[in-house]
Structure formats: structure tokens, C-alpha cells
Amino acid sequence: MKISRVLAGAVLVALCGTACAPGASTETAGAEPSGPVKKGVTDEKVTLKLVSTPESGAAVKSIIKAFEAKYPQVTIDYEDNNVDDYNKALNLSLASDQAPDIALLNSVGTTVKDGLVLDLSRYATAYDWDKTYPSTQLNQWRVAEDGSTIGTGGLYAAPAGFSLVGVYYNKAKAAEAGITTPPATLDEFEAALAKAKKAGELPLQLGNQQGHASFPIQLIGQSADGAEQAAKWTFGQQGATFDTPGNRTAADKLVAWKKKGYLPGSANGTDLQTAVDKFTKGQGVYFVDGNWDAEKIGDKLGKDAGFIAFPSPKATAIGTSVAYAISSKSKNADTAAFFLDFLHSPEASAAEFKAGFMPADLTAAKPEDGTVMKDIVAAWGRVNDDNGLVGFNNNATATMNDKLTATTQELLAGRTDTDGFVKAIQDEWSKTHG
């Protein structure tokens, strides 16, 4: 899921091999790198292959151009595909004889457990990534020796901009419905939804074909339970549970909003990008989505596009980094790591912000007044100040995204209730984390 993002076809067609260029370097493949890190870029010609998704790749394509202009001896071949196909095919691709050198890692899943990507800890030390990125952001890509517990252990991906899930709103539609200020609490948010419905508007746009109803459920839940507690479950820490007052309230609210007509009747049959299109055409006063769609929403709605952190006295949000891993089969791991270090350069940070992501270097975040990006930067600041960023529930296990998709669809369709929903999600979590 994105964060929903992601290669082509049932069998992924890999890009040009890493050593296809004459004089390619001879770094060891198929094992964890050992010995001292070779910082910088080789003088020899090297071709790397990088795989991503259209949403995340919007930034990385520009970053590749900037990198190649600065280091012409390195060529980076790029390929992307939609999130579902990408996530399903990634492990097969990384295990193949034509594995990419660098791959977008949307979730840990079984990728680390299967030894398909390198532990980047030695590169993190060499390049001082712990000084570049807050520990809370790097920890989302640290994996313990069991291959599934997140937050401690080796580092398996490097950030390339950060995502943030909050609430978009149509300022014009809100004003017409008599909503004069953005809601600051869940009660105020529900009152705003009721006003929108009374004014003849769709209160909350939603596409749940890919399970994105899990976004409002997670935001309501962690707002009530607290970000720290919510993160323990997302990271797979022993003793954590999904059966909390906040998550039960969240499931109850989603069912109640469906019954009151606050959600579109077609939500289960609508994918995320179709929901985005509907929202930009005026169908919906509010829309829970991530900053990866900020450019599209901002372009379509202009000055009417607004964004807030989820209404709560203490700001919280769902988010993670767009993160790239290095294949265990890469013959050019040192050069690939040098590219990963470039992901927080001024050039890369500018490209990330232009694509709607928060850059590691916040000096690159210079939004124009009156734009949705101005609101997103403000929300990002609030969430960071309140230490409220939590990883995606969808990434809690390798199979959690599928389970959340199925069970949120059942919840909206009335085929399960809050008890059944909460139990199904916790049972799925327990298969991996005990």
C-alpha cells in the first residue's frame, strides 16, 4: 500500500544488468558487504538499475538526472510499475538473476528475512546517516534478527523524502457548508461532516478497493491511544495489541459514517487514484490521503486545496520515508550506497519537495503562500513537534495489507462488525509476531 506505491507484470522484467557497461566495478554480490566502505563514486563506468513506482518515482527520476549530470560515469536505468504489481513482484525480482541494484522498499515484509537486501549499517556509519535523519525515521527501516520485528537491528533502506497522511479539504466546499475553521478534534470533525451532509455535499471521499479505509481507522485509533502505543504494534513489538479503545472507536466511527451517508456508496469498488480524481472534481469536502497526491490535488483545486493533520489535540499522522534498499545481488553496492547518500543532497531535496514529499533537508521546503504544500509543511511541523508520526499499519506484517483491505471492505459492506474486525487484524499480526 502506499503508503500505496510499486514493477511490471507477474514476472518482473528487470532492467539492464549491473555489469553491462564495459569496465564495471567488481564489488562482491550475493553476500553482506565486508571490509571498509569505499565512499564516493568509482572512476569506472557503472550501470545501476533502479526500480520504483510512479508515485515515488516522480521524485527519483529527477534525482537520477541530477546525479548522472554530476557523475557521468554512472548510468542509472529506471523502471516503475503500479503499487500492487510492484509489491507482489519485488521479492521475485530481487531473487532473480537480473535483480535490480536499488529497489523501493514499501514495507519490510519477508524481503529482509529472505536475505534479498543488504544491511546498510556500515554505509550509515560511513556517511553519518544517523546525523542526517532523526532516529524515529531511520528506525522504521531497522529490522531485528528475527526478520520481522521493526525498530531495532540492522538498517535495510535509506530515506528519499517522507510521506505524511492527513486530511485534505476543499476550502470552497467547506465554506459553502458553513464550516469556517478546520476541525481540531474528532468531535469537531464529525460536526463538520454532518454540516457537509446537510449542505448536500459528500462529506468524506474514500476509495477502498485497495484498503485505504485503513487510513482513517489508523488515524482515529492512534489519536485516541497515542502515537507511542500505536507504533509498538506497527513495529511488531512483543505484547502489543490492536484491540485498544482507540481502534475500536475507529471501527465504530467508520461504520457509523457509512450508515449516515458520509462516505461514498461505491467506496469498496473505487481505487485510490479514482478517489483522488473525484475529490479534485468537487466530490467530497474532506479526503484522507497522503502528500504523494499533493501535486495533483494542488494543481486541480488550486487555492481551494487545504490540508491538516488529523483533528486531534496532539498532532499525529501516518507516515514513513520513501526508502530505497540495495539488492544482495548487486555487484556495485558501494556505488549504489553513494547514490542513496545523494538522496538527501540539496538537488534531491528540491526534487522530493516538488513531488510533494517532505525532504530530509527542510531548507528545501519553500512552499508558496496559499498553496496546499504550505499547509502540508505546517502539518509536518506540528506532527514532528508532537512526536506523532507512526508507520503504516499496512506494513506491520508481510500479509497485513491484504488483511486490512479485505476486512475494511467487509466492515463497510456490513459483513463484519467491530469485534470481528479487531480480532481478524490482531490474529493476522500474531501469526508473525506471536
Side-chain angles (χ1 to χ4, degrees):
M1 174 160 295
K2 200 142 186 157
I3 94 177
S4 260
R5 315 197 239 275
V6 210
L7 300 182
V11 177
L12 180 66
V13 179
L15 301 171
C16 166
T18 307
C20 61
S25 65
T26 57
E27 299 165 20
T28 302
E32 294 295 320
S34 59
V37 168
K38 295 177 183 177
K39 291 180 66 175
V41 65
T42 176
D43 291 331
E44 299 173 333
K45 289 185 178 180
V46 173
T47 296
L48 302 175
K49 52 185 176 182
L50 183 152
V51 292
S52 188
T53 62
E55 298 90 343
S56 300
V60 84
K61 282 190 288 187
S62 297
I63 294 170
I64 288 170
K65 288 181 181 178
F67 184 84
E68 290 178 334
K70 208 165 187 177
Y71 307 103
Q73 68 272 43
V74 181
T75 299
I76 301 179
D77 289 337
Y78 171 87
E79 183 174 299
D80 64 25
N81 195 25
N82 72 78
V83 61
D84 290 332
D85 289 340
Y86 181 91
N87 283 338
K88 290 173 183 176
L90 181 59
N91 280 14
L92 290 175
S93 173
L94 288 167
S96 74
D97 291 336
Q98 294 181 306
D101 294 277
I102 301 170
L104 177 72
L105 197 63
N106 284 321
S107 65
V108 170
T110 61
T111 306
V112 171
K113 199 168 191 175
D114 293 344
L116 299 175
V117 292
L118 296 179
D119 182 348
L120 303 179
S121 297
R122 58 201 290 269
Y123 294 115
T125 299
Y127 287 110
D128 290 328
W129 289 346
D130 60 327
K131 296 177 182 177
T132 301
Y133 305 104
S135 61
T136 53
Q137 294 166 357
L138 283 183
N139 286 351
Q140 294 192 15
W141 302 106
R142 293 193 184 280
V143 185
E145 290 185 4
D146 62 10
S148 59
T149 301
I150 300 170
T152 61
L155 180 69
Y156 289 90
F162 300 91
S163 61
L164 180 74
V165 176
V167 184
Y168 289 94
Y169 65 104
N170 187 318
K171 294 179 180 179
K173 294 282 184 182
E176 289 170 5
I179 304 165
T180 56
T181 57
T185 65
L186 180 58
D187 286 345
E188 289 182 9
F189 187 51
E190 286 199 284
L193 296 177
K195 282 187 175 182
K197 178 67 176 176
K198 187 175 181 180
E201 300 288 349
L202 173 67
L204 184 63
Q205 182 57 255
L206 174 66
N208 195 40
Q209 188 179 89
Q210 300 157 306
H212 287 89
S214 63
F215 286 177
I217 286 176
Q218 181 175 346
L219 287 168
I220 294 170
Q222 68 190 43
S223 294
D225 295 332
E228 184 177 359
Q229 179 177 327
K232 290 179 181 178
W233 187 87
T234 303
F235 280 177
Q237 294 183 8
Q238 291 295 311
T241 180
F242 191 77
D243 192 352
T244 66
N247 287 331
R248 284 186 166 276
T249 295
D252 288 343
K253 293 294 184 187
L254 197 71
V255 171
W257 293 351
K258 178 69 164 53
K259 290 179 179 178
K260 292 178 179 179
Y262 292 173
L263 309 177
S266 60
N268 277 347
T270 303
D271 64 21
L272 179 65
Q273 288 309 308
T274 300
V276 173
D277 291 339
K278 288 182 176 182
F279 180 69
T280 61
K281 292 176 182 176
Q283 298 177 40
V285 176
Y286 295 99
F287 180 44
V288 178
D289 192 17
N291 57 331
W292 53 83
D293 283 320
E295 186 173 22
K296 187 173 186 179
I297 291 172
D299 286 346
K300 295 290 187 179
L301 289 182
K303 61 181 177 59
D304 287 333
F307 184 93
I308 55 172
F310 191 81
S312 177
K314 198 166 185 177
T316 185
I318 309 167
T320 187
S321 58
V322 177
Y324 286 88
I326 298 177
S327 167
S328 296
K329 292 191 173 186
S330 177
K331 296 179 181 179
N332 294 289
D334 285 344
T335 302
F338 183 67
F339 175 76
L340 297 189
D341 187 62
F342 187 77
L343 295 175
H344 66 81
S345 67
E347 300 96 324
S349 294
E352 289 154 8
F353 186 67
K354 186 176 185 300
F357 296 97
M358 292 296 101
D361 180 4
L362 286 177
T363 63
K366 299 176 180 177
E368 296 180 14
D369 290 340
T371 65
V372 71
M373 286 308 300
K374 185 82 170 181
D375 289 352
I376 289 173
V377 171
W380 176 256
R382 276 199 66 212
V383 170
N384 280 339
D385 287 345
D386 288 347
N387 199 25
L389 193 68
V390 180
F392 289 77
N393 280 351
N394 313 74
N395 295 339
T397 74
T399 55
M400 188 57 70
N401 186 60
D402 290 341
K403 178 57 69 172
L404 275 168
T405 298
T407 51
T408 54
Q409 288 177 352
E410 291 170 358
L411 195 63
L412 287 179
R415 296 195 297 271
T416 192
D417 57 11
T418 293
D419 286 339
F421 171 75
V422 169
K423 183 179 186 303
I425 298 304
Q426 182 61 24
D427 285 351
E428 192 70 20
W429 186 91
S430 296
K431 290 178 186 177
T432 297
H433 302 298

Short mmCIF file of all heavy atoms in Angstrom, two decimals, residues 155-200:
data_model
loop_
_atom_site.label_atom_id
_atom_site.label_comp_id
_atom_site.label_asym_id
_atom_site.label_seq_id
_atom_site.Cartn_x
_atom_site.Cartn_y
_atom_site.Cartn_z
N LEU A 155 19.99 -1.80 9.47
CA LEU A 155 19.27 -0.82 8.66
C LEU A 155 19.21 -1.34 7.22
O LEU A 155 20.24 -1.62 6.62
CB LEU A 155 19.99 0.53 8.70
CG LEU A 155 19.36 1.66 7.89
CD1 LEU A 155 18.05 2.11 8.53
CD2 LEU A 155 20.33 2.84 7.79
N TYR A 156 18.01 -1.42 6.66
CA TYR A 156 17.85 -2.07 5.36
C TYR A 156 17.34 -1.15 4.25
O TYR A 156 17.12 -1.61 3.13
CB TYR A 156 16.94 -3.29 5.49
CG TYR A 156 17.65 -4.41 6.23
CD1 TYR A 156 17.57 -4.51 7.62
CD2 TYR A 156 18.45 -5.32 5.56
CE1 TYR A 156 18.25 -5.50 8.32
CE2 TYR A 156 19.14 -6.32 6.24
CZ TYR A 156 19.04 -6.40 7.62
OH TYR A 156 19.74 -7.38 8.29
N ALA A 157 17.17 0.12 4.53
CA ALA A 157 16.78 1.07 3.48
C ALA A 157 17.17 2.46 3.91
O ALA A 157 17.31 2.74 5.11
CB ALA A 157 15.28 0.99 3.21
N ALA A 158 17.36 3.34 2.93
CA ALA A 158 17.72 4.73 3.20
C ALA A 158 16.61 5.65 2.68
O ALA A 158 16.04 5.41 1.61
CB ALA A 158 19.04 5.08 2.51
N PRO A 159 16.27 6.69 3.43
CA PRO A 159 15.15 7.56 3.06
C PRO A 159 15.42 8.43 1.83
O PRO A 159 16.54 8.83 1.56
CB PRO A 159 14.97 8.45 4.30
CG PRO A 159 15.65 7.71 5.41
CD PRO A 159 16.80 7.00 4.76
N ALA A 160 14.32 8.68 1.11
CA ALA A 160 14.37 9.59 -0.04
C ALA A 160 13.12 10.46 -0.02
O ALA A 160 12.30 10.44 -0.93
CB ALA A 160 14.44 8.80 -1.34
N GLY A 161 12.95 11.21 1.04
CA GLY A 161 11.74 12.00 1.19
C GLY A 161 10.74 11.27 2.08
O GLY A 161 10.78 10.04 2.19
N PHE A 162 9.85 12.02 2.68
CA PHE A 162 8.96 11.44 3.70
C PHE A 162 7.50 11.69 3.35
O PHE A 162 7.13 12.75 2.85
CB PHE A 162 9.29 12.03 5.06
CG PHE A 162 10.71 11.75 5.48
CD1 PHE A 162 11.72 12.63 5.17
CD2 PHE A 162 11.02 10.58 6.13
CE1 PHE A 162 13.03 12.36 5.52
CE2 PHE A 162 12.33 10.29 6.49
CZ PHE A 162 13.34 11.18 6.18
N SER A 163 6.70 10.65 3.63
CA SER A 163 5.27 10.75 3.37
C SER A 163 4.53 11.16 4.64
O SER A 163 5.03 10.99 5.75
CB SER A 163 4.74 9.40 2.88
OG SER A 163 4.95 8.40 3.86
N LEU A 164 3.34 11.67 4.43
CA LEU A 164 2.51 12.16 5.54
C LEU A 164 1.06 11.98 5.14
O LEU A 164 0.63 12.52 4.11
CB LEU A 164 2.81 13.63 5.81
CG LEU A 164 2.04 14.32 6.93
CD1 LEU A 164 2.56 13.86 8.28
CD2 LEU A 164 2.17 15.84 6.82
N VAL A 165 0.31 11.21 5.91
CA VAL A 165 -1.12 11.03 5.65
C VAL A 165 -1.90 11.90 6.62
O VAL A 165 -1.73 11.81 7.83
CB VAL A 165 -1.54 9.56 5.79
CG1 VAL A 165 -3.06 9.42 5.62
CG2 VAL A 165 -0.82 8.69 4.78
N GLY A 166 -2.73 12.75 6.07
CA GLY A 166 -3.59 13.62 6.87
C GLY A 166 -4.90 13.83 6.15
O GLY A 166 -5.39 12.93 5.44
N VAL A 167 -5.48 15.00 6.29
CA VAL A 167 -6.81 15.28 5.75
C VAL A 167 -6.74 16.46 4.78
O VAL A 167 -6.46 17.60 5.17
CB VAL A 167 -7.81 15.60 6.87
CG1 VAL A 167 -9.21 15.80 6.30
CG2 VAL A 167 -7.82 14.49 7.92
N TYR A 168 -7.01 16.17 3.51
CA TYR A 168 -7.22 17.24 2.53
C TYR A 168 -8.64 17.76 2.68
O TYR A 168 -9.55 17.01 3.07
CB TYR A 168 -7.05 16.71 1.11
CG TYR A 168 -5.64 16.38 0.71
CD1 TYR A 168 -5.15 15.09 0.84
CD2 TYR A 168 -4.79 17.35 0.17
CE1 TYR A 168 -3.85 14.76 0.46
CE2 TYR A 168 -3.49 17.04 -0.21
CZ TYR A 168 -3.03 15.75 -0.06
OH TYR A 168 -1.75 15.44 -0.43
N TYR A 169 -8.83 19.03 2.36
CA TYR A 169 -10.20 19.53 2.33
C TYR A 169 -10.35 20.58 1.24
O TYR A 169 -9.40 21.25 0.84
CB TYR A 169 -10.64 20.09 3.69
CG TYR A 169 -9.90 21.32 4.19
CD1 TYR A 169 -10.47 22.58 4.13
CD2 TYR A 169 -8.62 21.21 4.74
CE1 TYR A 169 -9.82 23.71 4.61
CE2 TYR A 169 -7.94 22.33 5.22
CZ TYR A 169 -8.55 23.57 5.15
OH TYR A 169 -7.88 24.68 5.62
N ASN A 170 -11.57 20.66 0.73
CA ASN A 170 -11.92 21.63 -0.30
C ASN A 170 -12.42 22.89 0.41
O ASN A 170 -13.51 22.89 0.98
CB ASN A 170 -13.00 21.04 -1.22
CG ASN A 170 -13.30 21.93 -2.41
OD1 ASN A 170 -13.40 23.15 -2.28
ND2 ASN A 170 -13.49 21.31 -3.57
N LYS A 171 -11.60 23.93 0.40
CA LYS A 171 -11.92 25.14 1.17
C LYS A 171 -13.22 25.78 0.71
O LYS A 171 -14.02 26.26 1.53
CB LYS A 171 -10.77 26.13 1.05
CG LYS A 171 -9.48 25.67 1.71
CD LYS A 171 -8.37 26.70 1.54
CE LYS A 171 -7.09 26.22 2.20
NZ LYS A 171 -5.97 27.20 2.04
N ALA A 172 -13.46 25.77 -0.60
CA ALA A 172 -14.69 26.39 -1.12
C ALA A 172 -15.92 25.60 -0.67
O ALA A 172 -16.92 26.20 -0.24
CB ALA A 172 -14.62 26.47 -2.64
N LYS A 173 -15.85 24.28 -0.79
CA LYS A 173 -16.98 23.45 -0.39
C LYS A 173 -17.24 23.57 1.12
O LYS A 173 -18.39 23.61 1.57
CB LYS A 173 -16.70 21.99 -0.74
CG LYS A 173 -16.63 21.70 -2.23
CD LYS A 173 -17.99 21.62 -2.85
CE LYS A 173 -17.93 21.23 -4.30
NZ LYS A 173 -19.27 21.19 -4.94
N ALA A 174 -16.17 23.61 1.90
CA ALA A 174 -16.32 23.74 3.35
C ALA A 174 -17.00 25.06 3.70
O ALA A 174 -17.92 25.09 4.54
CB ALA A 174 -14.96 23.64 4.02
N ALA A 175 -16.58 26.13 3.06
CA ALA A 175 -17.18 27.44 3.34
C ALA A 175 -18.66 27.47 2.97
O ALA A 175 -19.48 28.02 3.72
CB ALA A 175 -16.41 28.52 2.58
N GLU A 176 -19.00 26.87 1.85
CA GLU A 176 -20.40 26.82 1.42
C GLU A 176 -21.26 26.04 2.41
O GLU A 176 -22.45 26.32 2.57
CB GLU A 176 -20.50 26.18 0.03
CG GLU A 176 -19.94 27.05 -1.09
CD GLU A 176 -19.83 26.29 -2.40
OE1 GLU A 176 -20.28 25.12 -2.46
OE2 GLU A 176 -19.29 26.86 -3.37
N ALA A 177 -20.64 25.06 3.08
CA ALA A 177 -21.37 24.26 4.06
C ALA A 177 -21.40 24.91 5.44
O ALA A 177 -21.97 24.36 6.39
CB ALA A 177 -20.74 22.87 4.16
N GLY A 178 -20.79 26.08 5.57
CA GLY A 178 -20.78 26.78 6.84
C GLY A 178 -19.67 26.35 7.78
O GLY A 178 -19.72 26.62 8.98
N ILE A 179 -18.67 25.68 7.24
CA ILE A 179 -17.52 25.25 8.05
C ILE A 179 -16.46 26.34 7.91
O ILE A 179 -15.80 26.46 6.87
CB ILE A 179 -16.98 23.89 7.57
CG1 ILE A 179 -18.10 22.85 7.59
CG2 ILE A 179 -15.80 23.44 8.43
CD1 ILE A 179 -17.78 21.58 6.82
N THR A 180 -16.30 27.13 8.93
CA THR A 180 -15.45 28.32 8.82
C THR A 180 -14.01 28.11 9.25
O THR A 180 -13.12 28.85 8.85
CB THR A 180 -16.06 29.47 9.66
OG1 THR A 180 -16.21 29.03 11.02
CG2 THR A 180 -17.42 29.87 9.10
N THR A 181 -13.77 27.11 10.10
CA THR A 181 -12.40 26.82 10.54
C THR A 181 -12.15 25.32 10.45
O THR A 181 -13.08 24.52 10.64
CB THR A 181 -12.16 27.29 11.99
OG1 THR A 181 -13.11 26.65 12.84
CG2 THR A 181 -12.29 28.79 12.09
N PRO A 182 -10.92 24.91 10.19
CA PRO A 182 -10.63 23.47 10.15
C PRO A 182 -10.87 22.83 11.51
O PRO A 182 -10.57 23.43 12.55
CB PRO A 182 -9.13 23.44 9.79
CG PRO A 182 -8.85 24.75 9.14
CD PRO A 182 -9.74 25.73 9.83
N PRO A 183 -11.45 21.64 11.54
CA PRO A 183 -11.70 20.97 12.82
C PRO A 183 -10.40 20.64 13.55
O PRO A 183 -9.38 20.33 12.92
CB PRO A 183 -12.45 19.70 12.41
CG PRO A 183 -12.06 19.47 10.98
CD PRO A 183 -11.87 20.82 10.39
N ALA A 184 -10.44 20.71 14.87
CA ALA A 184 -9.24 20.47 15.67
C ALA A 184 -9.36 19.22 16.55
O ALA A 184 -8.38 18.81 17.16
CB ALA A 184 -8.94 21.67 16.54
N THR A 185 -10.55 18.64 16.62
CA THR A 185 -10.77 17.42 17.41
C THR A 185 -11.66 16.48 16.61
O THR A 185 -12.29 16.88 15.61
CB THR A 185 -11.46 17.72 18.75
OG1 THR A 185 -12.80 18.23 18.48
CG2 THR A 185 -10.69 18.76 19.56
N LEU A 186 -11.75 15.23 17.05
CA LEU A 186 -12.62 14.27 16.37
C LEU A 186 -14.07 14.71 16.43
O LEU A 186 -14.81 14.59 15.44
CB LEU A 186 -12.45 12.88 16.99
CG LEU A 186 -13.31 11.76 16.38
CD1 LEU A 186 -13.03 11.60 14.90
CD2 LEU A 186 -13.05 10.44 17.13
N ASP A 187 -14.50 15.24 17.56
CA ASP A 187 -15.88 15.73 17.67
C ASP A 187 -16.14 16.85 16.68
O ASP A 187 -17.20 16.89 16.03
CB ASP A 187 -16.15 16.23 19.09
CG ASP A 187 -16.30 15.09 20.10
OD1 ASP A 187 -16.47 13.93 19.67
OD2 ASP A 187 -16.24 15.36 21.32
N GLU A 188 -15.20 17.77 16.55
CA GLU A 188 -15.36 18.87 15.60
C GLU A 188 -15.36 18.35 14.16
O GLU A 188 -16.07 18.86 13.29
CB GLU A 188 -14.25 19.90 15.78
CG GLU A 188 -14.37 20.72 17.06
CD GLU A 188 -13.27 21.76 17.19
OE1 GLU A 188 -12.51 21.97 16.20
OE2 GLU A 188 -13.14 22.36 18.27
N PHE A 189 -14.56 17.31 13.90
CA PHE A 189 -14.52 16.72 12.56
C PHE A 189 -15.87 16.09 12.23
O PHE A 189 -16.41 16.29 11.13
CB PHE A 189 -13.41 15.67 12.50
CG PHE A 189 -13.17 15.12 11.12
CD1 PHE A 189 -12.98 15.95 10.03
CD2 PHE A 189 -13.11 13.75 10.92
CE1 PHE A 189 -12.75 15.43 8.75
CE2 PHE A 189 -12.88 13.21 9.66
CZ PHE A 189 -12.70 14.06 8.58
N GLU A 190 -16.45 15.37 13.18
CA GLU A 190 -17.76 14.77 12.94
C GLU A 190 -18.83 15.83 12.75
O GLU A 190 -19.74 15.67 11.92
CB GLU A 190 -18.12 13.85 14.10
CG GLU A 190 -17.35 12.55 14.11
CD GLU A 190 -18.01 11.48 14.96
OE1 GLU A 190 -17.91 11.59 16.19
OE2 GLU A 190 -18.64 10.56 14.39
N ALA A 191 -18.74 16.93 13.49
CA ALA A 191 -19.69 18.02 13.31
C ALA A 191 -19.56 18.63 11.92
O ALA A 191 -20.56 18.98 11.28
CB ALA A 191 -19.46 19.09 14.38
N ALA A 192 -18.33 18.72 11.42
CA ALA A 192 -18.10 19.25 10.08
C ALA A 192 -18.66 18.29 9.02
O ALA A 192 -19.24 18.73 8.01
CB ALA A 192 -16.61 19.47 9.85
N LEU A 193 -18.49 16.99 9.23
CA LEU A 193 -19.06 16.01 8.30
C LEU A 193 -20.58 16.14 8.25
O LEU A 193 -21.20 16.06 7.16
CB LEU A 193 -18.66 14.59 8.72
CG LEU A 193 -17.17 14.23 8.68
CD1 LEU A 193 -16.96 12.81 9.20
CD2 LEU A 193 -16.61 14.37 7.27
N ALA A 194 -21.20 16.34 9.42
CA ALA A 194 -22.66 16.49 9.48
C ALA A 194 -23.10 17.75 8.73
O ALA A 194 -24.11 17.74 8.01
CB ALA A 194 -23.11 16.53 10.93
N LYS A 195 -22.36 18.85 8.88
CA LYS A 195 -22.69 20.09 8.17
C LYS A 195 -22.58 19.90 6.66
O LYS A 195 -23.42 20.39 5.89
CB LYS A 195 -21.75 21.22 8.61
CG LYS A 195 -22.10 21.85 9.95
CD LYS A 195 -21.22 23.06 10.21
CE LYS A 195 -21.62 23.77 11.48
NZ LYS A 195 -20.79 24.98 11.73
N ALA A 196 -21.53 19.20 6.24
CA ALA A 196 -21.35 18.95 4.81
C ALA A 196 -22.51 18.13 4.24
O ALA A 196 -23.03 18.43 3.16
CB ALA A 196 -20.03 18.24 4.57
N LYS A 197 -22.92 17.10 4.98
CA LYS A 197 -24.04 16.27 4.54
C LYS A 197 -25.32 17.09 4.45
O LYS A 197 -26.08 16.99 3.47
CB LYS A 197 -24.22 15.11 5.52
CG LYS A 197 -25.39 14.19 5.22
CD LYS A 197 -25.17 13.42 3.93
CE LYS A 197 -26.30 12.43 3.69
NZ LYS A 197 -26.16 11.72 2.39
N LYS A 198 -25.56 17.93 5.46
CA LYS A 198 -26.76 18.77 5.47
C LYS A 198 -26.77 19.75 4.31
O LYS A 198 -27.84 20.10 3.78
CB LYS A 198 -26.84 19.54 6.80
CG LYS A 198 -28.14 20.31 6.99
CD LYS A 198 -28.19 20.94 8.37
CE LYS A 198 -29.50 21.70 8.58
NZ LYS A 198 -29.58 22.33 9.93
N ALA A 199 -25.58 20.17 3.87
CA ALA A 199 -25.48 21.11 2.75
C ALA A 199 -25.57 20.41 1.40
O ALA A 199 -25.47 21.07 0.35
CB ALA A 199 -24.16 21.87 2.84
N GLY A 200 -25.76 19.10 1.40
CA GLY A 200 -25.91 18.37 0.15
C GLY A 200 -24.59 17.93 -0.47
O GLY A 200 -24.57 17.51 -1.63
#
